[in-house]
Amino acid sequence: MEIIKIGMADLGVAHSPDRLRTTGLGSCVGVVLYDQVKRIAGMAHVMLPESSLGKGNETNIGKYADTAIPQLIKEMVAVGASAYNLTAKLAGGAQMFSFLGGNDTMRIGPRNVDACKAILEQNHIKIVAEDTGGNCGRTIEMDAETGILQIRTVNQGVKEV
Amino acid sequence: MVSIDKFGDFQIDVLREVGNIGAGHAATALSKLIQKEIDMKVPQVKIITFDEIADAVGGAEELVVAIFLRVEGECPGNMFFIVDLGSARNLLKQLIGMEESQEEMLSELEISALHEIGNILAGSYLSSLSDFTKLNLQPSVPALAIDMAGAILSYGLIELCRAGDYVLTIDTAFLGGEQDVNGHFFLIPDPDFFEKLFVALGVPLNGDY
């Protein structure tokens, strides 16, 4: 069993029994897709809601919800997953510093979550679990064998969805 | 716009000096607060990928106490004052003789005191920078979080990750006299920060002097 690390603005795919892991999600959202039949999992660490927010030449499609999720689906299908079998789990999108709530940039967590949900809906992917919002950081680990997503926070320990 | 990957040694030296002046004043303020000597390390100016942002404080999952200020004005950016939990407790003990609460996390009173310490230190960093450059800098009300370093520091990347995949950080580490308080001042400038700063200081915008 291998644990594949997904960095910020990064995405990746794992086959059973491997796992996917991303650490320190704050306002970023961890999007996890899973094909239960083929036991193929995908994970993206999304930083911003839309690629239209980018300035200049964009090279990193893993950064934005609207480019990362379609790319993740494509990569999973390319290694044998069925697009119509995919289900999604979401974690992250916190507001680490809540007092700054009025500012649009500072509300980025909830905006990221909304954008991910909209893109998933466009792609007809059902969200089966989510642990989003709040004001705490999260580390997540997805088991491609079982489809279970482990979510670790500082205050609440580890939970599984 | 000024591009961070076109900076030569001269621009990096100027930014290191920004860290030196800002963190130097903040370290002096801290030293006065706890009446102990503070050793400040040479500021590190680094151009790194997003993932490396938390490496300097022990990795993305390291539990840290962070005070965050958003800086608006002519040199916009994000400022973090970061200490580990043990250092935070030692600071409180030395500063106000607070007995450690037995709780695993900090009490409301301890958090409030840390908030004020962070406010003073980050304020002295920024006001010395403002004096030095004659530029207008307005810090936001500071916010405090105790959480994973990656989750906290990534907040400072939101604005600048729109412009590219690399980030420039000015990181100054410090160590308390008896080595029981150590932490970092992080300044993460927005892309617009550099041009105003370099023009104000008469530094060319890229290449070597």
Side-chain angles (χ1 to χ4, degrees):
Chain A
M1 193 263 290
E2 198 186 332
I3 296 178
I4 301 163
K5 217 186 155 225
I6 307 296
M8 273 186 227
D10 191 10
L11 51 85
V13 177
H15 296 263
S16 172
D18 292 346
R19 293 171 173 224
L20 292 159
R21 179 180 161 88
T22 195
T23 52
L25 287 165
S27 58
C28 301
V29 174
V31 182
V32 175
L33 301 181
Y34 189 54
D35 178 336
Q36 196 165 9
V37 179
K38 300 280 172 55
R39 302 200 184 280
I40 297 172
M43 182 184 284
H45 184 137
V46 171
M47 297 182 81
L48 289 169
E50 289 163 37
S51 51
S52 60
L53 291 169
K55 305 169 183 168
N57 302 332
E58 209 41 73
T59 49
N60 196 341
I61 50 177
K63 208 186 287 178
Y64 306 98
D66 65 342
T67 50
I69 294 173
Q71 177 67 20
L72 186 60
I73 297 169
K74 207 156 78 181
E75 289 190 13
M76 290 177 73
V77 169
V79 295
S82 312
Y84 53 83
N85 268 343
L86 295 178
T87 54
K89 293 179 181 178
L90 297 178
Q95 217 170 327
M96 301 302 295
F97 298 99
S98 51
F99 83 97
L100 298 157
N103 183 318
D104 226 27
T105 305
M106 296 308 161
R107 274 197 71 254
I108 199 75
R111 284 172 59 205
N112 278 336
V113 174
D114 290 348
C116 288
K117 286 182 178 171
I119 305 293
L120 288 169
E121 198 182 323
Q122 278 169 27
N123 287 279
H124 312 289
I125 296 173
K126 196 179 159 204
I127 299 169
V128 293
E130 69 170 299
D131 180 30
T132 57
N135 56 7
C136 62
R138 296 170 172 92
T139 284
I140 60 172
E141 193 170 302
M142 176 70 180
D143 187 338
E145 190 176 350
T146 60
I148 290 172
L149 181 68
Q150 271 189 352
I151 303 165
R152 195 177 79 79
T153 56
V154 169
N155 287 322
Q156 290 148 35
V158 179
K159 67 174 167 183
E160 292 185 343
V161 296
Chain B
M1 194 168 44
V2 184
S3 177
I4 56 174
D5 49 16
K6 294 204 176 69
F7 287 172
D9 289 346
F10 187 60
Q11 283 80 15
I12 299 292
D13 278 345
V14 169
L15 294 170
R16 194 175 292 128
E17 192 54 24
V18 164
N20 230 339
I21 292 170
H25 280 80
T28 306
L30 180 61
S31 169
K32 279 184 190 151
L33 273 175
I34 61 174
Q35 314 225 309
K36 284 210 173 119
E37 244 176 67
I38 299 286
D39 289 329
M40 195 182 91
K41 304 216 173 111
V42 176
Q44 304 278 317
V45 175
K46 284 185 262 187
I47 296 170
I48 53 177
T49 62
F50 301 145
D51 274 319
E52 295 168 295
I53 185 98
D55 287 356
V57 292
E61 287 195 276
E62 187 74 13
L63 181 64
V64 297
V65 179
I67 308 282
F68 166 72
L69 289 101
R70 171 80 195 146
V71 188
E72 299 287 354
E74 289 178 289
C75 284
N78 295 301
M79 162 104 228
F80 291 91
F81 168 64
I82 291 186
V83 294
D84 60 59
L85 201 55
S87 293
R89 289 191 197 280
N90 289 333
L91 254 180
L92 291 167
K93 204 155 63 181
Q94 290 169 20
L95 181 65
I96 35 182
M98 260 180 159
E99 278 306 310
E100 285 179 47
S101 61
Q102 295 309 306
E103 298 160 53
E104 200 181 322
M105 296 307 276
L106 299 170
S107 70
E108 208 171 307
L109 189 64
E110 287 174 315
I111 287 174
S112 168
L114 280 173
H115 213 129
E116 194 46 39
I117 296 171
N119 196 7
I120 292 168
L121 300 186
S124 58
Y125 191 119
L126 290 172
S127 60
S128 66
L129 188 54
S130 179
D131 288 347
F132 164 62
T133 58
K134 307 279 179 259
L135 291 170
N136 176 23
L137 301 176
Q138 297 141 5
S140 72
V141 178
L144 181 139
I146 304 170
D147 214 308
M148 299 175 189
I152 288 172
L153 283 167
S154 65
Y155 228 72
L157 301 177
I158 294 165
E159 197 51 45
L160 52 105
C161 78
R162 295 166 56 188
D165 293 330
Y166 292 90
V167 50
L168 184 147
T169 62
I170 305 173
D171 167 23
T172 314
F174 62 88
L175 202 61
E178 283 154 33
Q179 314 223 328
D180 51 2
V181 176
N182 62 78
H184 292 260
F185 294 102
F186 269 100
L187 182 61
I188 306 177
D190 282 6
D192 296 341
F193 175 98
F194 304 105
E195 193 167 338
K196 282 273 166 51
L197 177 81
F198 289 165
V199 168
L201 297 175
V203 173
L205 298 184
N206 52 50
D208 284 321
Y209 190 52

